[in-house]
Amino acid sequence: MEDQGDIENEGGGGGIGVMIMENGKDLERNISAVSESGVRQPLLSSKSRVNNTSQIAIIGANVCPIESLDYEIIENDLFKQDWRSRKKVQIFQYIFLKWTLVLLIGLSVGLVGFFLNIAVENIAGFKLLLISDLMLQDKYFRGFAAYACCNLVLATCAGILCAFIAPAAAGSGIPEVKAYLNGIDAHSILAPSTLFVKIFGSALGVSAGFVVGKEGPMVHTGACIANLLGQGGSRKYHLTWKWLKYFKNDRDRRDLITCGAAAGVAAAFRAPVGGVLFALEEVASWWRSALLWRTFFSTAVVAMVLRSFIVFCRSGKCGLFGQGGLIMFDVNSGAPNYNTIDVLAVLLIGVLGGLLGSLYNYLVDKVLRTYSIINERGPAFKVLLVMTISILSSLCSYCLPWFATCTPCPVGLEDKCPTIGRSGNYKNFQCPAGHYNDLASLFMNTNDDAIRNLFSSDNSSEFHLSSLFVFFAGVYCLGVVTYGIAIPSGLFIPVILAGASYGRFVGTVLGSISNLNNGLFALLGAASFLGGTMRMTVSICVILLELTDDLLMLPLVMLVLLVSKTVADCFNKGVYDQTVKMKGLPYLEAHAEPYMRQLVAGDVCSGPLITFSGVEKVGNIIHALKFTRHNGFPVIDAPPFSDAPEFCGLALRSHLLVLLKGKKFTKLSVLSGSSILRSFHAFDFAKPGSGKGPKLEDLSFTDEEMEMYVDLHPVTNTSPYTVVETMSLAKAAILFRQLGLRHLCVVPKKTTGRDPIVGILTRHDFMPEHIKGLYPHLVHHK
C-alpha cells in the first residue's frame, strides 16, 4: 500500500516517497533507491514491514491490483470551465438522460429476472419430470443415475463458465457490490464477461439442484447491468453520443450501480420497497434523497415488468413456468392471533436463529478458506470441486427421502395427492398409491417450491418432525459446503429453507397450544435465520412481508429479527461483512475503531512525499509515473510562481497521462495554462469505461521533450480535502468514509520551515492491519 495512491494493495498514508528534484539525475537516483528498497512491494511505512493485508480476493478471482474509486468531484480549471459553459438546456438533458438510464436499468433487470425464473423452472422442471416418470415405473436406480447425471452436467457447465471465463462471477456477488459502493474497484467484478457468466451460470447452478439461490447473483447482475449502461458510451461499438460522456465518472456510476443492486433484489423477490431498503441498509455506503427517488423508480419498473410477464405466462405460453419462482410470495396464511405462549415461542425462534446463524457464518468462513486452497490450484480444480459437491448434493437429496415413512394423503384436499409431476406439496416418490413422501416433497423440488411447501398452512400435519429435522440438517450442511464453489450462488434461499424448516418444527411441536399455524412459524423461522446470518433487519422484514403478502405479521417479524440479530452479533459479523474481510478488500466501516482515538492523522503518515512543482519538467513526471504506482501527487507552487512554497492541490495519475499525451509542453518554465485550457476539454480527462485509458507504456517522448516543461495547474484539483496533522485518526477516518474520498491530504499545523504538506491518507491507512504494523500495542483483535 503506497501513501499517495492506490497501488497493488490499496495503499496509504505516507509510504516511501521522494521529493521531485528539478535535476532529473537526482530524481532518478532517489527513485532508484526507493525502488531498491521495495517501492513495487506493498509497503506500510519507511521501515521494513510486511503487508499482512494482501488485498487479494481469495475466492473466485485472479490475483490483481485493487484501487480506489474517485467519488470526489475533481475541481480543476478544466472542470470549472466546463460547468461555467453549460447551459440550462444541457443540464436538463443530463438529468433527463440519467432518469432514462435508471428506466433502462429497471427494464433490463426485470427482463433478466424473468429469464432466470423461466430458465430455472423449465430446466429443473424437465429434469424432475424425467425422474418422476422413472420412479413411477419403479426404476429407482435408473432414476438416481438420471438425476445425478443431469445435475452433474448442469453443474459442470456452470463451473466451467465461472472457472475459465469470469472467476469474479463465483459466489453471491453482494460482497463485491458492497465493496464497490464503498469505493473499492476490484478486478472485473462488474465486467461484461462477469455479467454473462452471472446470468447463465446462475440459471445452470440453481437448476443443478444445488442448495443455492439466484437472489444474491441477481443483485450482482443488476449492478453489472447498471455499470454497463453507465459506461458513458463506447468507441469500440461507435456509441459516442456526446451526452453519454457526462457519465464517464465514478460518482454517477455509483448512483446507477446502487439502482441496479436494488433492482436486482426487486427482481429476485418481487419486492420493490424491500429492494430500496436493501440497497440503503446493506450495500450502499452513501445515500441521499435524489438517489432514493431514482432507486425507487427502478424497482417500481422491475415490479411492473415482472407482473406483466407473469400475467402472460399464466396463459400457458412459458413452458413449465407455473406456481414456482416469482409466484412464491402468494402464500395464504391465516390471520395471526397470538398469545403469550406464541410470543415466547417467537423469542425462542429468534434466539435459535441468532445461534444457528452465527454458527453458519463461522462454518462458511472455514469452508471458504479451505476452498481457497483448492481454487488457487487452477480452473480445473475449481470445476472438480463443483462436480464433487454436485454428486454430494444429488446423493443427499435423492437418498435421504428413502428414510422417511409414507404418509396417507389427507382427505378433502383441493390439490391432487400424490402429486404427479414436478411441483406440488405431495410427492409420491417410492410410496404406494394414495400416499406421499413428505421429505421428498422438500428435497425433490425446486428450492422455490420447497419454500412454498414449508410456508403452506393448508395442512398442519403435512410434515413429520423427523422429516423437518432431517431436511434442516441436510440444507444447513449443504448450504455451508456449497457456498464458495465456482458457481454463482446466493445465500438467501438456503437460509430461508433452513430457517423455515426449524420454524415449522417449533410450530409442529407447539401444536394445539399455539394460535399461530405452522406456515407462520416457518415464516418466522426464515426471518430469524436471515437476521442471524445477514444481520439485516428493516430490509429483510419488508422483503418477507412483500414475499408473503401478510402485513399482519409485521410485529412478530420485527421482534424475531431484532432478537436474532442481537444474539448473533455477540459472536461474529454478518456473512457479507465477513466475506468482504476474507477477500482482503479494504472496506471502510461506518464507525472508527476505539484505538484510532489514541492516534492522530500525522501518526500514520511518513515521508518524504513525491510532489510536483506547478510547472514541472516532463522528465521528472515520466520518471515518477514509471517508478511508482501512485495515483495522486501533491502539486506545490514555489518561487517565482509564489512568494513561498504553498500547497496548490492534487493531480491524478490518469489526468497527468492525458496531459502528457497531448504534449502541450514549453521550453521554459512558464505558466501556459491558458493554452492548455484551449486545447483540452473536460471530457478528455473523464474516466474511460472498463479501464481503457492511456497507459504510460503507450507514450513515447524524445530526449528534447523530456527536458521541456508542462503546466500542471489546469489539471490540479485546487480544492482537495485536507486535515491538519493533529486531527484524531478516528475523526479523519469518519470524514474519509462519509465523503467517499480516495485521497485525504494532511497539512502541517505549523508551516514555518516545513513543507506545505505532510502526507496523503488513503483507505489503507485506516485498515487495522496497517495500524497494527505501525503500533502493535494499540490494536487488539478479538
Side-chain angles (χ1 to χ4, degrees), residues 727-771:
M727 175 183 281
S728 71
L729 189 61
K731 194 172 183 180
I734 294 174
L735 177 70
F736 192 95
R737 205 254 193 192
Q738 289 182 343
L739 294 175
L741 302 181
R742 183 177 188 178
H743 304 100
L744 181 61
C745 300
V746 181
V747 296
K749 186 175 183 180
K750 296 181 180 179
T751 58
T752 305
R754 299 182 62 185
D755 292 331
I757 182 170
V758 175
I760 297 179
L761 298 177
T762 61
R763 65 176 52 243
H764 174 67
D765 294 292
F766 303 105
M767 294 295 108
E769 294 81 2
H770 170 56
I771 300 174

Side-chain angles (χ1 to χ4, degrees), residues 615-618 665-669 707-711:
V615 180
E616 187 58 78
K617 184 178 288 187
V618 174
F665 307 145
T666 58
K667 292 183 178 181
L668 300 177
S669 177
E707 296 298 320
M708 299 177 74
Y709 294 86
V710 60
D711 188 357

Side-chain angles (χ1 to χ4, degrees), residues 4-6 70 72 74-76 610-614 616 621 624-625 628-636 647-659 685 710-720 742-743 745 757 760:
Q4 307 171 33
D6 320 71
D70 293 299
E72 179 189 359
I74 308 300
E75 294 185 355
N76 53 35
I610 297 181
T611 63
F612 292 138
S613 299
E616 187 58 78
I621 301 175
L625 296 179
T628 71
R629 297 288 297 275
H630 298 178
N631 284 287
F633 298 89
V635 177
I636 295 177
F647 178 47
C648 180
L650 201 67
L652 297 182
R653 169 183 284 264
S654 59
H655 291 182
L656 291 173
L657 289 172
V658 174
L659 187 62
F685 296 86
V710 60
D711 188 357
L712 302 183
H713 290 96
V715 299
T716 300
N717 181 10
T718 55
S719 56
R742 183 177 188 178
H743 304 100
C745 300
I757 182 170
I760 297 179

